[in-house]
């Protein structure tokens, strides 16, 4: 049991990112902090209970974790990456995540502007990026405009030609006023050059030049100008706190370090994908007392990557490993491409290893006992299931399936995925049954599995990149929500398609509660108090919840469509506006004419049509 009071006492005063974890081991909120101790504790003060969001986070979290960073800026960017990775329930989520932001400098203009864009086009402008975080870009631009005030308006300004009165930004010192000829094209261009040097990473050169100018201004007793230059230098140095992971490369890397105490070692693995730190994992290793660091690292690397479905381009390690060439050849065969192993002594990669090591020390001190319990709950549970079923191959990935309908109406299927004993929600899939009508769960299950494994064959034949494919990764075992009949139906599909994967049925008792696993017509011996049984129960509950949720959504969509589509003059746009404004069809029915006319896009005629539809037709009152 996670003791919040005790764990709050252990929080460091360092900057970092904190994660609140729900009862199903899902990340429900990610936040950043200048001081982890102060920020996380604030969620547990009486004063903050007035905030509904804080109440919800506190009420639904089973525990919290945190990652220590060196700077607040690192925490900011890591927070953004983790939000994108986990899509937490209580975070404000950016829905349009199709592209990363750039910073654009309009060099084709006499007086260039600097602003953020999402698209990179060939228009003569200079683009910097892409950046991992739109929030970081916004902060950077705000600081740039404070240090080097530049114009922000899009109107055309020609050198030597006045184009109207200066705007408010000029009067408050945020624009040099080129429209009123208050700055020459040459002097303006010097500012733009400094901005581009800064964005190109040439901060040291800028600082040195500004420090020379500051000294000259002080000697000339231009103290106000010297103070301004001093402030610019300080601001540039603050902005130079870039996230280390974003400065290494655009590839995939795992950073691995550990901290040992007596017979135990806690490994910290930082995952960098496409140059962005997207998350971490910590694992306990036992029997390390008196063992050389290189041996400990070798054992971890070989065991960790024999059970993980993804091998990155580069491993960045805290210590050398034994038999490096052999291990690199093995990893390359697993990945299908060359794998590099680096043990850095200096530079940015070394700083990343040091950061991972520091987090390993803190995590071992703070959460060592909890991690042991969590390992029993996840990887330990997987081992128990493997042993109970008598399987030779270790289980890592489980895919579970369920069918949901009401008397055959709106048949849907769901697929949930657990890896290493934890839910992997990014791999969940929904299926709307196409070929089966009526309450035939066996046939519906066969359609779902046929479509799933047909997609596997297509993606394998097309050579689709594994990280971009939806079904390219096969499970180690399949769980079906049902008994012998459901298992037989599923097994028939696999046999027909030539797929050899064990299939189990998650059977229930007379009270509709999980009873155990059916495998080969025999119920596996999983004690009710075992972690393996508890994991099966969690999976069964999750796949059933996911199916019911999808079925309810389709049912509601169908009901909404059938009612509102019958109103003359109400198309898709107005229907969406009505539902967004009122929240449900029932509330639209009860709305007055005055309330209906206040909806975006609704005029008196369309509002009257809606009102009459629900009040004149007696069947819809």
């Amino acid at each position: 049991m996670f003791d919040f009071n005790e764990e709050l006492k252990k929080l460091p005063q360092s900057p970092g990112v904190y994660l609140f974890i729900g009862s199903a081991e899902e990340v429900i909120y990610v936040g950043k902090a200048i001081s982890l101790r102060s920020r996380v504790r604030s969620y547990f003060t009486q004063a903050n209970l007035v905030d509904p969001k804080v109440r919800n986070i506190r009420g639904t979290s089973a525990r919290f974790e945190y990652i220590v960073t060196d700077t607040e800026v690192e925490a900011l960017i890591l927070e953004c990456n983790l939000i994108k990775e986990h899509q937490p329930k209580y975070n404000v989520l950016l829905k349009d995540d199709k592209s990363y932001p750039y910073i654009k400098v309009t060099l084709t203009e006499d007086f260039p502007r600097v602003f953020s864009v999402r698209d990179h086009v060939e228009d003569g402008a200079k683009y910097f990026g892409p950046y991992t975080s739109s929030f970081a870009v916004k902060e950077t631009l705000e600081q740039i405009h404070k240090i080097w005030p530049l114009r922000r308006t899009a109107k055309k300004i020609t050198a030597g030609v006045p184009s109207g009165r200066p705007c408010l930004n000029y009067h408050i010192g945020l624009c040099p006023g080129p429209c009123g000829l208050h700055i020459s094209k040459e002097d303006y261009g010097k500012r733009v050059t400094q901005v581009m040097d800064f964005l190109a990473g040439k901060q040291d050169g800028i600082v040195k030049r500004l420090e020379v100018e500051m000294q000259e201004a002080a000697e000339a007793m231009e103290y106000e100008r010297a103070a301004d230059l001093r402030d610019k230098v300080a601001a540039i140095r603050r902005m130079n706190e870039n996230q280390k992971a974003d400065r290494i490369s655009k590839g995939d890397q795992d950073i691995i370090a550990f901290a040992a105490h007596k017979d135990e070692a806690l490994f910290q693995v930082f995952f960098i994908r496409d140059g962005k730190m997207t998350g971490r994992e910590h694992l306990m290793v036992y029997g390390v007392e008196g063992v050389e660091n290189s041996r400990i690292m070798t054992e971890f690397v070989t065991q960790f990557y024999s059970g993980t479905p993804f091998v990155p381009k580069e491993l960045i390690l805290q210590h050398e490993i034994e038999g490096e060439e052999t291990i690199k050849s093995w990893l390359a065969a697993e990945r299908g491409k060359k794998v590099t192993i680096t043990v850095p002594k200096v530079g940015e990669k070394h700083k990343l290893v040091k950061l991972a090591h520091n987090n390993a020390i803190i995590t071992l001190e703070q959460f060592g006992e909890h991690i042991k319990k969590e390992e029993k709950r996840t990887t330990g549970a997987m081992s128990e299931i493997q042993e109970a079923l008598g399987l030779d191959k270790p289980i890592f990935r489980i895919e579970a399936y369920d069918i949901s309908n009401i008397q055959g109406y709106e048949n849907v299927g769901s697929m949930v995925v657990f890896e290493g004993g934890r839910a992997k929600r990014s791999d969940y899939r929904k299926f709307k049954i196409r070929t089966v009508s009526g309450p035939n769960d066996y046939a519906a299950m066969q359609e779902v599995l046929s479509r799933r494994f047909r997609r596997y064959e297509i993606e394998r034949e097309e050579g689709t990149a594994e990280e971009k494919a939806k079904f390219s990764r096969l499970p180690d075992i399949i769980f079906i929500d049902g008994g012998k009949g459901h298992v037989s139906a599923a097994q028939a599909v696999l046999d027909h398609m030539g797929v050899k994967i064990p299939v189990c049925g998650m059977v229930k008792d007379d009270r509709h509660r999980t009873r155990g696993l059916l495998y080969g017509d025999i119920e596996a011996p999983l004690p009710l108090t075992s972690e393996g049984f508890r994991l099966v129960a969690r999976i069964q509950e999750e796949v059933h919840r996911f199916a019911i949720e999808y079925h309810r959504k389709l049912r509601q969509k169908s009901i909404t469509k059938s009612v509102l589509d019958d109103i003359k003059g109400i198309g898709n746009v107005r229907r969406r506006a009505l539902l967004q404004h009122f929240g449900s069809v029932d509330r639209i029915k009860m709305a007055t004419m005055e309330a209906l006319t206040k909806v975006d896009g609704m005029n008196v005629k369309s509002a009257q049509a809606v009102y009459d539809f629900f009040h004149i037709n007696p069947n819809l009152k």
Side-chain angles (χ1 to χ4, degrees):
M1 185 70 179
F2 190 85
D3 190 331
F4 280 94
N5 291 329
E6 283 301 313
E7 300 305 332
L8 287 170
K9 295 175 185 176
K10 302 174 185 177
L11 285 163
Q13 292 182 330
S14 312
V17 173
Y18 55 93
L19 303 90
F20 280 101
I21 314 295
S23 57
E25 285 301 300
E26 77 281 19
V27 177
I28 62 174
Y29 185 74
V30 177
K32 69 177 186 306
I34 300 174
S35 167
L36 285 166
R37 175 176 294 180
S38 301
R39 186 70 186 97
V40 178
R41 282 183 172 184
S42 70
Y43 286 84
F44 297 87
T45 60
Q46 197 67 26
N48 279 332
L49 279 177
V50 295
D51 186 339
K53 181 174 169 182
V54 172
R55 286 203 306 271
N56 287 331
I57 292 172
R58 278 184 55 177
T60 56
S61 61
R63 60 187 180 87
F64 62 77
E65 293 181 2
Y66 55 85
I67 302 174
V68 174
T69 60
D70 285 342
T71 69
E72 185 185 359
V73 175
E74 286 180 16
L76 168 70
I77 299 178
L78 179 56
E79 175 200 31
C80 295
N81 290 336
L82 290 175
I83 289 172
K84 290 175 184 176
E85 175 76 10
H86 296 288
Q87 298 284 294
K89 179 179 180 180
Y90 294 112
N91 280 97
V92 177
L93 303 177
L94 180 64
K95 298 299 183 183
D96 181 13
D97 193 26
K98 297 178 181 177
S99 59
Y100 291 115
Y102 292 83
I103 292 179
K104 177 178 180 179
V105 184
T106 57
L107 294 179
T108 56
E109 298 177 332
D110 284 355
F111 297 93
R113 292 169 292 136
V114 181
F115 53 93
S116 67
V117 293
R118 286 275 172 181
D119 299 315
H120 188 307
V121 295
E122 298 297 328
D123 58 357
K126 178 71 175 178
Y127 290 84
F128 295 89
Y131 296 93
T132 59
S133 163
S134 58
F135 304 104
V137 168
K138 183 180 178 181
E139 282 192 358
T140 299
L141 286 172
E142 286 179 358
Q143 290 300 320
I144 283 174
H145 282 291
K146 287 179 182 178
I147 300 169
W148 300 283
L150 298 171
R151 75 183 184 101
R152 304 192 191 194
T153 58
K155 71 178 181 179
K156 184 178 179 180
I157 301 177
T158 304
V161 180
S163 56
R165 295 166 56 189
C167 64
L168 176 63
N169 282 335
Y170 168 74
H171 293 290
I172 62 176
L174 294 179
C175 176
C179 58
L181 306 183
H182 295 285
I183 187 172
S184 68
K185 182 179 178 180
E186 291 72 21
D187 288 342
Y188 190 95
K190 290 178 183 177
R191 295 188 182 192
V192 174
T193 300
Q194 288 184 344
V195 170
M196 291 195 296
D197 284 347
F198 172 78
L199 292 172
K202 301 175 183 177
Q203 292 91 341
D204 291 342
I206 298 171
V207 168
K208 287 178 182 177
R209 289 199 300 271
L210 291 176
E211 285 179 335
V212 170
E213 290 183 36
M214 179 176 66
Q215 186 64 33
E216 290 174 350
E219 291 172 358
M221 292 188 290
E222 297 175 1
Y223 299 120
E224 188 174 336
R225 182 167 175 267
D228 180 57
L229 290 166
R230 178 202 61 204
D231 293 342
K232 286 183 178 179
V233 168
I236 292 169
R237 283 177 172 156
R238 283 196 302 271
M239 289 173 65
N240 198 26
E241 295 176 335
N242 297 318
Q243 186 199 33
K244 299 175 185 67
D246 283 346
R247 294 163 60 179
I248 297 174
S249 76
K250 292 298 177 187
D252 296 330
Q253 294 137 326
D254 286 354
I255 317 296
I256 305 176
F258 69 86
H261 177 67
K262 295 183 178 180
D263 200 40
E264 301 173 341
L266 185 139
F267 273 82
Q268 194 82 218
V269 185
F270 282 174
F271 302 114
I272 295 177
R273 302 294 178 255
D274 293 325
K276 304 180 295 296
M277 190 184 291
T278 59
R280 62 124 180 221
E281 186 164 352
H282 34 245
L283 302 102
M284 294 291 290
V285 174
Y286 306 97
V288 303
E289 192 167 15
V291 181
E292 293 289 333
N293 288 335
S294 59
R295 182 74 238 158
I296 297 171
M297 183 63 75
T298 303
E299 289 293 332
F300 177 81
V301 169
T302 53
Q303 292 180 45
F304 182 74
Y305 290 102
S306 64
T308 183
F310 180 79
V311 177
K313 179 181 179 182
E314 182 179 20
L315 306 187
I316 303 174
L317 308 180
Q318 178 188 15
H319 299 289
E320 303 281 351
I321 58 173
E322 301 171 1
E324 181 178 319
E325 292 304 318
T326 302
I327 291 176
K328 283 198 293 187
S329 298
W330 164 62
L331 291 172
E334 291 288 312
R335 183 173 184 263
K337 294 180 182 179
K338 181 181 177 182
V339 175
T340 304
I341 295 178
T342 307
V343 184
K345 304 301 180 185
V346 294
E348 296 299 334
K349 292 182 181 180
H350 175 67
K351 291 178 182 177
L352 265 173
V353 170
K354 186 178 178 182
L355 183 65
H357 179 230
N358 290 340
N359 273 275
I361 293 171
I362 293 170
T363 306
L364 181 61
E365 291 174 352
Q366 314 273 343
F367 298 113
E369 289 303 316
H370 170 74
I371 291 169
K372 290 181 199 175
K373 292 177 183 177
E374 187 59 24
E375 280 189 342
K376 290 180 182 178
R377 187 174 180 268
T378 53
T379 54
M382 302 284 269
S383 298
E384 287 181 6
I385 293 172
Q386 178 194 347
E387 185 179 347
L389 298 178
L391 301 176
D392 296 328
K393 182 182 176 183
I395 300 171
F396 179 74
R397 181 181 173 97
I398 298 173
E399 288 184 3
Y401 296 85
D402 189 18
I403 301 297
S404 179
N405 62 68
I406 296 179
Q407 296 180 342
Y409 174 71
E410 290 285 13
N411 268 318
V412 300
S414 67
M415 162 183 145
V416 304
V417 178
F418 277 64
E419 286 189 351
R422 296 182 178 90
K424 189 177 183 185
R425 287 173 176 75
S426 61
D427 284 10
Y428 284 18
R429 296 291 177 258
K430 303 169 184 174
F431 300 85
K432 188 172 183 180
I433 305 302
R434 301 168 182 165
T435 62
V436 181
S437 59
N440 189 338
D441 284 3
Y442 297 162
M445 182 64 72
Q446 289 183 321
E447 179 189 324
V448 167
L449 290 172
S450 296
R451 285 164 58 185
R452 186 264 182 263
F453 289 102
R454 194 157 49 242
R455 285 300 307 171
Y456 163 72
E457 292 177 345
I458 292 170
E459 290 173 0
R460 185 180 56 177
E461 290 170 5
E462 292 177 350
T464 310
E466 186 172 303
E467 60 269 20
K468 295 181 180 178
K470 293 182 178 179
F471 297 106
S472 62
R473 193 175 298 163
L474 288 178
D476 298 312
I477 193 167
I478 292 171
F479 287 179
I480 304 295
D481 187 26
K484 186 176 179 180
H486 291 85
V487 172
S488 298
Q491 191 66 59
V493 173
L494 299 186
D495 292 343
H496 177 72
M497 302 187 78
V499 178
K500 293 185 178 180
I501 298 173
V503 182
C504 294
M506 297 182 289
V507 292
K508 298 177 181 177
D509 61 18
D510 294 339
R511 297 172 128 186
H512 213 65
R513 297 177 304 186
T514 303
R515 190 177 77 210
L517 275 180
L518 182 70
Y519 180 57
D521 295 335
I522 300 172
E523 203 163 310
L526 275 172
L528 298 181
T529 57
S530 69
E531 292 295 345
F533 176 83
R534 292 188 180 112
L535 177 59
V536 172
R538 287 200 302 275
I539 294 173
Q540 187 170 33
E541 183 181 342
E542 178 71 352
V543 71
H544 185 64
R545 177 201 64 78
F546 194 55
I548 291 292
E549 183 181 272
Y550 183 42
H551 185 258
R552 186 182 295 120
K553 181 179 178 181
L554 289 181
R555 211 168 62 239
Q556 183 61 39
K557 183 178 179 182
S558 176
I559 293 169
T560 300
K561 188 171 187 252
S562 64
V563 172
L564 297 184
D565 276 6
D566 290 339
I567 306 176
K568 188 176 180 181
I570 302 300
N572 289 335
V573 174
R574 282 177 174 155
R575 184 174 68 245
R576 282 197 298 269
L578 283 165
L579 287 170
Q580 187 174 0
H581 185 88
F582 291 104
S584 69
V585 174
D586 287 338
R587 290 184 178 179
I588 296 171
K589 290 179 185 180
M590 295 184 291
T592 63
M593 267 294 295
E594 183 182 1
L596 288 167
T597 55
K598 290 180 179 179
V599 177
D600 289 342
M602 296 287 288
N603 54 32
V604 174
K605 184 178 178 182
S606 58
Q608 190 68 55
V610 174
Y611 186 84
D612 291 347
F613 180 83
F614 287 118
H615 290 78
I616 293 176
N617 188 336
N619 294 323
L620 293 173
K621 284 184 180 179

